[in-house]
Amino acid sequence: MFRFTPALILLLALVPGVVAAQQAKIAFGGLKQDTSLPVEVEADSLAVNQADGTATFSGNVLVGQGELRLSAGTVRVEYATDGKRIARLHASGGVTLANAGNAAEAREAVYTIDSGNVVMTGNVLLTQGSSAISGQKLIIDLKAGTGVMEGRVSTVFVPGGN
């Protein structure tokens, strides 16, 4: 058995290291967002499907809502049943979500406008200043400015870092 003396515990706490877990709660003050703001979309092309009520933006897609920016290869816009409001954005093809010093990257993301939830999946990497955390799924609540990283979470702590 290993013996952990107070000095060893202090040394381990001060040394940069990797922490692994199944889930980590994260503060997203910089990603807090007013989800009632207009959503603007720019892309190389647009295809509209009246039958299922979707619009698909392709090529260098940039979505903006207030200070929040989302970029991806493709973004499918799903409209609410009234056909007047955007219900959900499904982004794929190298997704980046950024705002005020926070940035998250993943393979895919689904942003449900009314709830303010963004679910990012597939090799998720979140950077906040000099800190980084990775996992397989990141769930962000833009209204509350909070999030949860799931799926073999890994991070590096830098003592004295911001």
Side-chain angles (χ1 to χ4, degrees), residues 41-50 53-61 63 73-79 86 89:
V41 183
E42 294 179 15
D44 293 338
S45 65
L46 167 65
V48 177
N49 185 334
Q50 296 288 3
T54 63
T56 302
F57 293 88
S58 301
N60 301 307
V61 183
V63 177
T74 303
V75 174
R76 187 178 73 244
V77 177
E78 299 172 10
Y79 291 92
I86 296 174
L89 301 173

Side-chain angles (χ1 to χ4, degrees), residues 116-128:
N117 286 334
V118 179
V119 178
M120 301 183 78
T121 55
N123 296 327
V124 181
L125 174 64
L126 170 69
T127 57
Q128 293 180 303

